[in-house]
Amino acid sequence: MQARVAYFSMEMALAVGMKTYSGGLGVLAGDTVRGFADYELSGIGVTLLHRRGYFRQSIDENGWQQEQPDDWEPAKYAEKLPETVAITIEGRTVTIAVWRRSVEGLNGHAVPVYMLDTRLDANSEYDRTLTDYLYGGDRYYRLCQEMVLGIGGVKILRALGYTDISRFHMNEGHSAFLTLELLDEAAENAGRKQFSREDVEAIRQKCVFTTHTPVAAGHDRFPLDMAMRALQRKELRDMQDVFCCDNELNMTYLALNLSDRVNGVAKRHGEISREMFPNYEIDSITNGVHVATWTAEPFAKLFDKHVPEWRKDNFSLRYALRIPCDAVREAHQQSKQALMDYVNKTAKADFDVDTFTLGFARRATPYKRADLLMRDVQRLNALAERHGPMQIIYAGKAHPNDQQGKEYIQRVIQSAKKLSDQIQLVYLPDYAWELGGLITSGVDVWLNTPLPPNEASGTSGMKAALNGVPSLSVLDGWWLEGCIENETGWAIGRRYDQIENPDVPAEQDADSLYEKLDEVVLPLYYENYDGFLDVMINAIALNGSFFTAQRMLLEYMSMVYFR
Ligand SMILES: *Cc1c(COP(=O)(O)O)cnc(C)c1O
């Protein structure tokens, strides 16, 4: 069956030099489209061009984040097409142009990704900026962007001749306005001026939704008056139950109400979502990463030799158990050396390949608790004294408006001054795709310390596993599924869903983290490296083989797209 899936996402990581993403959501979207291409699905990606990117991060001498625009040249990466469409925002006509980039799969199958662009002479000065900044501007700017993505996206697909789309997949609620355009189409086809409840039923059969946010405050909402002004659709008020709640237009509810299938991004996130939205049927499909993209060169070579079919059949990575330990050790040392070279060059540090190295890189925002490891620096110093030296690598951007996130970065950097000479710490600026690949493959242990249940899934620990890097992580998101203690890595604290008071103080998690390092991880690394290698190999065989975009897409195909 040649069913066509249109995959809409506000951000999408398509190439290292394309600044069309900010973090996890965009990387997942890119990995999904790369998976479409490998499977030769007749999928299509839709996103915005984001000419000025998210932002470039530098860190000043006080440890404070500085932001610069991250311009890039679309013409180097994509082709501008002649088609344009127009949408109406608050009575203004906004013309939208489109760029195409093809994403190629293993056998050369190309999946087109369409990127919308309002920087046109026909538009007002303001409307020209609508596709400039990812997650920039105020609420109104964001509302306009989401109209361009959802409404403009569907119109562009039609203008390009796609009339056979069987599933519209909303990756997070940002693109949920696509449902309004589909409703308008349905009404028009029936010769009516306004859409009806029957149209809602019909459109629902075509739409599927993946939610990514496990806390209510994180859902995208607009004041109803603002949304009514911009959208000018009377039906929004007439069908309040479908579109509104509490004087707000909530993009998550819009997507929930107009989707046939709804999924969270890990099993635990599915449970949390069902608690948050008890009136909806919500399932889950656990995220995965695109294996060929996130496997570092030394491991790619190793797998080519010992598991030659690994790119085509990611499950075969379970045969990592057959690879000689020495070869795995050698591949890891090479990946680690590449990271050490980068650190020593850019941070003027003196890191070496034989010292135990911890990595922590993710969006700097309070719930990720970047400072957990640094809560008790004396204790950390004592660990190094007892077991051997340590190297710690941090990276991650805070959203420009996230003052607290910036304070976390500063706190980590300043607490490093109290470290003994047995521990070196660097905070690498401007975390993005390439650095993500270097860090997830080049450290010895991947650290993750979110405050449950905020980590919907998390994907960097999956990238690490592919490269034989075990995780040491709080049991939240994907790690509840991926952690087999002492086999694929180690847990910090207890299972969130098995403790009575979920508000575990950070002290307790920090305590558990130091204890694991002291009693298990550091002794294994420094006194029994063969034992450590076993964990590395299991991480590949059990988790690298499973938490893949390929497995994720198999589930989407059988349970969501083609059912
Ligand atoms: C993988 C990746 C992420 C996602 O990380 P999480 O573990 O989901 O927090 C974010 N940014 C970059 C650059 C990545 O490569």
Side-chain angles (χ1 to χ4, degrees), residues 169-190:
H169 187 165
M170 294 170 261
N171 186 41
E172 193 53 304
H174 307 128
S175 58
F177 288 140
L178 71 84
T179 59
L180 292 185
E181 180 58 23
L182 294 177
L183 286 166
D184 283 351
E185 279 183 353
E188 199 181 314
N189 289 343

PDB file of all heavy atoms in Angstrom, residues 169-190:
ATOM      1  N   HIS A 169       0.614  13.825  10.393  1.00  0.00           N
ATOM      2  CA  HIS A 169       1.203  13.533  11.702  1.00  0.00           C
ATOM      3  C   HIS A 169       1.697  14.828  12.338  1.00  0.00           C
ATOM      4  O   HIS A 169       2.584  15.484  11.803  1.00  0.00           O
ATOM      5  CB  HIS A 169       2.359  12.534  11.513  1.00  0.00           C
ATOM      6  CG  HIS A 169       2.938  12.036  12.802  1.00  0.00           C
ATOM      7  ND1 HIS A 169       3.763  10.939  12.866  1.00  0.00           N
ATOM      8  CD2 HIS A 169       2.824  12.469  14.087  1.00  0.00           C
ATOM      9  CE1 HIS A 169       4.116  10.731  14.133  1.00  0.00           C
ATOM     10  NE2 HIS A 169       3.572  11.654  14.883  1.00  0.00           N
ATOM     11  N   MET A 170       1.111  15.178  13.471  1.00  0.00           N
ATOM     12  CA  MET A 170       1.542  16.377  14.189  1.00  0.00           C
ATOM     13  C   MET A 170       2.577  15.978  15.229  1.00  0.00           C
ATOM     14  O   MET A 170       2.254  15.289  16.202  1.00  0.00           O
ATOM     15  CB  MET A 170       0.341  17.031  14.884  1.00  0.00           C
ATOM     16  CG  MET A 170      -0.686  17.587  13.919  1.00  0.00           C
ATOM     17  SD  MET A 170      -2.211  18.093  14.777  1.00  0.00           S
ATOM     18  CE  MET A 170      -3.251  16.656  14.480  1.00  0.00           C
ATOM     19  N   ASN A 171       3.819  16.398  15.023  1.00  0.00           N
ATOM     20  CA  ASN A 171       4.869  16.131  15.989  1.00  0.00           C
ATOM     21  C   ASN A 171       4.857  17.274  16.996  1.00  0.00           C
ATOM     22  O   ASN A 171       5.404  18.338  16.750  1.00  0.00           O
ATOM     23  CB  ASN A 171       6.234  16.054  15.286  1.00  0.00           C
ATOM     24  CG  ASN A 171       7.354  15.631  16.221  1.00  0.00           C
ATOM     25  OD1 ASN A 171       7.162  14.735  17.056  1.00  0.00           O
ATOM     26  ND2 ASN A 171       8.511  16.270  16.110  1.00  0.00           N
ATOM     27  N   GLU A 172       4.160  17.064  18.121  1.00  0.00           N
ATOM     28  CA  GLU A 172       3.873  18.097  19.119  1.00  0.00           C
ATOM     29  C   GLU A 172       2.761  19.010  18.592  1.00  0.00           C
ATOM     30  O   GLU A 172       2.437  18.993  17.398  1.00  0.00           O
ATOM     31  CB  GLU A 172       5.151  18.859  19.493  1.00  0.00           C
ATOM     32  CG  GLU A 172       5.071  19.745  20.726  1.00  0.00           C
ATOM     33  CD  GLU A 172       4.542  19.007  21.982  1.00  0.00           C
ATOM     34  OE1 GLU A 172       3.440  18.447  21.932  1.00  0.00           O
ATOM     35  OE2 GLU A 172       5.239  19.031  23.008  1.00  0.00           O
ATOM     36  N   GLY A 173       2.170  19.808  19.482  1.00  0.00           N
ATOM     37  CA  GLY A 173       0.965  20.561  19.134  1.00  0.00           C
ATOM     38  C   GLY A 173       1.173  21.772  18.236  1.00  0.00           C
ATOM     39  O   GLY A 173       0.205  22.345  17.735  1.00  0.00           O
ATOM     40  N   HIS A 174       2.437  22.169  18.001  1.00  0.00           N
ATOM     41  CA  HIS A 174       2.696  23.416  17.252  1.00  0.00           C
ATOM     42  C   HIS A 174       2.016  23.464  15.892  1.00  0.00           C
ATOM     43  O   HIS A 174       1.727  24.542  15.393  1.00  0.00           O
ATOM     44  CB  HIS A 174       4.206  23.583  17.002  1.00  0.00           C
ATOM     45  CG  HIS A 174       5.042  23.479  18.226  1.00  0.00           C
ATOM     46  ND1 HIS A 174       6.133  22.642  18.330  1.00  0.00           N
ATOM     47  CD2 HIS A 174       4.954  24.102  19.423  1.00  0.00           C
ATOM     48  CE1 HIS A 174       6.676  22.748  19.523  1.00  0.00           C
ATOM     49  NE2 HIS A 174       5.985  23.622  20.207  1.00  0.00           N
ATOM     50  N   SER A 175       1.826  22.292  15.285  1.00  0.00           N
ATOM     51  CA  SER A 175       1.292  22.279  13.921  1.00  0.00           C
ATOM     52  C   SER A 175      -0.207  21.985  13.889  1.00  0.00           C
ATOM     53  O   SER A 175      -0.771  21.746  12.817  1.00  0.00           O
ATOM     54  CB  SER A 175       2.040  21.238  13.087  1.00  0.00           C
ATOM     55  OG  SER A 175       1.925  19.960  13.689  1.00  0.00           O
ATOM     56  N   ALA A 176      -0.883  22.052  15.047  1.00  0.00           N
ATOM     57  CA  ALA A 176      -2.280  21.593  15.113  1.00  0.00           C
ATOM     58  C   ALA A 176      -3.246  22.434  14.276  1.00  0.00           C
ATOM     59  O   ALA A 176      -4.356  21.985  13.989  1.00  0.00           O
ATOM     60  CB  ALA A 176      -2.749  21.533  16.572  1.00  0.00           C
ATOM     61  N   PHE A 177      -2.841  23.639  13.862  1.00  0.00           N
ATOM     62  CA  PHE A 177      -3.728  24.418  12.977  1.00  0.00           C
ATOM     63  C   PHE A 177      -3.917  23.751  11.620  1.00  0.00           C
ATOM     64  O   PHE A 177      -4.804  24.136  10.859  1.00  0.00           O
ATOM     65  CB  PHE A 177      -3.205  25.843  12.775  1.00  0.00           C
ATOM     66  CG  PHE A 177      -3.346  26.717  13.990  1.00  0.00           C
ATOM     67  CD1 PHE A 177      -2.341  27.609  14.349  1.00  0.00           C
ATOM     68  CD2 PHE A 177      -4.495  26.660  14.780  1.00  0.00           C
ATOM     69  CE1 PHE A 177      -2.481  28.417  15.459  1.00  0.00           C
ATOM     70  CE2 PHE A 177      -4.642  27.470  15.904  1.00  0.00           C
ATOM     71  CZ  PHE A 177      -3.623  28.349  16.248  1.00  0.00           C
ATOM     72  N   LEU A 178      -3.106  22.756  11.325  1.00  0.00           N
ATOM     73  CA  LEU A 178      -3.324  22.046  10.060  1.00  0.00           C
ATOM     74  C   LEU A 178      -4.738  21.454  10.020  1.00  0.00           C
ATOM     75  O   LEU A 178      -5.338  21.320   8.953  1.00  0.00           O
ATOM     76  CB  LEU A 178      -2.256  20.975   9.818  1.00  0.00           C
ATOM     77  CG  LEU A 178      -2.208  19.677  10.650  1.00  0.00           C
ATOM     78  CD1 LEU A 178      -3.150  18.603  10.129  1.00  0.00           C
ATOM     79  CD2 LEU A 178      -0.789  19.130  10.649  1.00  0.00           C
ATOM     80  N   THR A 179      -5.264  21.147  11.200  1.00  0.00           N
ATOM     81  CA  THR A 179      -6.611  20.572  11.239  1.00  0.00           C
ATOM     82  C   THR A 179      -7.642  21.596  10.742  1.00  0.00           C
ATOM     83  O   THR A 179      -8.625  21.214  10.109  1.00  0.00           O
ATOM     84  CB  THR A 179      -6.991  20.130  12.670  1.00  0.00           C
ATOM     85  OG1 THR A 179      -6.930  21.266  13.541  1.00  0.00           O
ATOM     86  CG2 THR A 179      -6.037  19.056  13.182  1.00  0.00           C
ATOM     87  N   LEU A 180      -7.419  22.891  11.036  1.00  0.00           N
ATOM     88  CA  LEU A 180      -8.371  23.923  10.590  1.00  0.00           C
ATOM     89  C   LEU A 180      -8.408  23.997   9.071  1.00  0.00           C
ATOM     90  O   LEU A 180      -9.471  24.148   8.465  1.00  0.00           O
ATOM     91  CB  LEU A 180      -7.979  25.294  11.151  1.00  0.00           C
ATOM     92  CG  LEU A 180      -8.109  25.484  12.658  1.00  0.00           C
ATOM     93  CD1 LEU A 180      -7.798  26.931  13.024  1.00  0.00           C
ATOM     94  CD2 LEU A 180      -9.507  25.105  13.121  1.00  0.00           C
ATOM     95  N   GLU A 181      -7.230  23.899   8.471  1.00  0.00           N
ATOM     96  CA  GLU A 181      -7.186  23.960   7.008  1.00  0.00           C
ATOM     97  C   GLU A 181      -7.879  22.733   6.413  1.00  0.00           C
ATOM     98  O   GLU A 181      -8.627  22.848   5.441  1.00  0.00           O
ATOM     99  CB  GLU A 181      -5.731  24.068   6.523  1.00  0.00           C
ATOM    100  CG  GLU A 181      -5.558  24.142   5.021  1.00  0.00           C
ATOM    101  CD  GLU A 181      -6.289  25.315   4.364  1.00  0.00           C
ATOM    102  OE1 GLU A 181      -6.585  26.318   5.055  1.00  0.00           O
ATOM    103  OE2 GLU A 181      -6.585  25.210   3.158  1.00  0.00           O
ATOM    104  N   LEU A 182      -7.671  21.572   7.028  1.00  0.00           N
ATOM    105  CA  LEU A 182      -8.338  20.366   6.528  1.00  0.00           C
ATOM    106  C   LEU A 182      -9.854  20.493   6.686  1.00  0.00           C
ATOM    107  O   LEU A 182     -10.623  20.057   5.816  1.00  0.00           O
ATOM    108  CB  LEU A 182      -7.822  19.121   7.265  1.00  0.00           C
ATOM    109  CG  LEU A 182      -6.351  18.762   7.013  1.00  0.00           C
ATOM    110  CD1 LEU A 182      -5.942  17.556   7.862  1.00  0.00           C
ATOM    111  CD2 LEU A 182      -6.103  18.466   5.531  1.00  0.00           C
ATOM    112  N   LEU A 183     -10.302  21.135   7.768  1.00  0.00           N
ATOM    113  CA  LEU A 183     -11.737  21.343   7.976  1.00  0.00           C
ATOM    114  C   LEU A 183     -12.296  22.304   6.928  1.00  0.00           C
ATOM    115  O   LEU A 183     -13.381  22.075   6.381  1.00  0.00           O
ATOM    116  CB  LEU A 183     -11.988  21.884   9.388  1.00  0.00           C
ATOM    117  CG  LEU A 183     -11.822  20.855  10.516  1.00  0.00           C
ATOM    118  CD1 LEU A 183     -11.742  21.540  11.876  1.00  0.00           C
ATOM    119  CD2 LEU A 183     -12.965  19.845  10.493  1.00  0.00           C
ATOM    120  N   ASP A 184     -11.560  23.370   6.658  1.00  0.00           N
ATOM    121  CA  ASP A 184     -11.994  24.314   5.616  1.00  0.00           C
ATOM    122  C   ASP A 184     -12.109  23.614   4.265  1.00  0.00           C
ATOM    123  O   ASP A 184     -13.063  23.828   3.518  1.00  0.00           O
ATOM    124  CB  ASP A 184     -10.995  25.475   5.492  1.00  0.00           C
ATOM    125  CG  ASP A 184     -11.165  26.499   6.612  1.00  0.00           C
ATOM    126  OD1 ASP A 184     -12.149  26.392   7.370  1.00  0.00           O
ATOM    127  OD2 ASP A 184     -10.300  27.390   6.729  1.00  0.00           O
ATOM    128  N   GLU A 185     -11.137  22.761   3.977  1.00  0.00           N
ATOM    129  CA  GLU A 185     -11.174  21.997   2.713  1.00  0.00           C
ATOM    130  C   GLU A 185     -12.431  21.133   2.648  1.00  0.00           C
ATOM    131  O   GLU A 185     -13.103  21.071   1.615  1.00  0.00           O
ATOM    132  CB  GLU A 185      -9.967  21.051   2.623  1.00  0.00           C
ATOM    133  CG  GLU A 185      -8.680  21.693   2.180  1.00  0.00           C
ATOM    134  CD  GLU A 185      -7.569  20.630   2.049  1.00  0.00           C
ATOM    135  OE1 GLU A 185      -7.782  19.449   2.418  1.00  0.00           O
ATOM    136  OE2 GLU A 185      -6.480  20.996   1.578  1.00  0.00           O
ATOM    137  N   ALA A 186     -12.718  20.468   3.785  1.00  0.00           N
ATOM    138  CA  ALA A 186     -13.877  19.561   3.814  1.00  0.00           C
ATOM    139  C   ALA A 186     -15.164  20.346   3.553  1.00  0.00           C
ATOM    140  O   ALA A 186     -16.032  19.905   2.788  1.00  0.00           O
ATOM    141  CB  ALA A 186     -13.943  18.836   5.154  1.00  0.00           C
ATOM    142  N   ALA A 187     -15.267  21.515   4.190  1.00  0.00           N
ATOM    143  CA  ALA A 187     -16.466  22.339   3.998  1.00  0.00           C
ATOM    144  C   ALA A 187     -16.570  22.779   2.542  1.00  0.00           C
ATOM    145  O   ALA A 187     -17.638  22.694   1.917  1.00  0.00           O
ATOM    146  CB  ALA A 187     -16.422  23.548   4.931  1.00  0.00           C
ATOM    147  N   GLU A 188     -15.450  23.229   2.006  1.00  0.00           N
ATOM    148  CA  GLU A 188     -15.440  23.709   0.631  1.00  0.00           C
ATOM    149  C   GLU A 188     -15.844  22.599  -0.340  1.00  0.00           C
ATOM    150  O   GLU A 188     -16.639  22.818  -1.258  1.00  0.00           O
ATOM    151  CB  GLU A 188     -14.064  24.262   0.291  1.00  0.00           C
ATOM    152  CG  GLU A 188     -14.076  25.176  -0.929  1.00  0.00           C
ATOM    153  CD  GLU A 188     -12.682  25.677  -1.256  1.00  0.00           C
ATOM    154  OE1 GLU A 188     -11.978  26.103  -0.331  1.00  0.00           O
ATOM    155  OE2 GLU A 188     -12.305  25.599  -2.447  1.00  0.00           O
ATOM    156  N   ASN A 189     -15.290  21.407  -0.111  1.00  0.00           N
ATOM    157  CA  ASN A 189     -15.636  20.271  -0.978  1.00  0.00           C
ATOM    158  C   ASN A 189     -17.124  19.955  -0.938  1.00  0.00           C
ATOM    159  O   ASN A 189     -17.686  19.458  -1.902  1.00  0.00           O
ATOM    160  CB  ASN A 189     -14.848  19.017  -0.574  1.00  0.00           C
ATOM    161  CG  ASN A 189     -13.388  19.161  -0.937  1.00  0.00           C
ATOM    162  OD1 ASN A 189     -13.022  20.017  -1.750  1.00  0.00           O
ATOM    163  ND2 ASN A 189     -12.531  18.361  -0.305  1.00  0.00           N
ATOM    164  N   ALA A 190     -17.736  20.234   0.231  1.00  0.00           N
ATOM    165  CA  ALA A 190     -19.165  19.955   0.372  1.00  0.00           C
ATOM    166  C   ALA A 190     -20.001  21.163  -0.033  1.00  0.00           C
ATOM    167  O   ALA A 190     -21.225  21.156   0.132  1.00  0.00           O
ATOM    168  CB  ALA A 190     -19.469  19.548   1.807  1.00  0.00           C
TER     169      ALA A 190
END
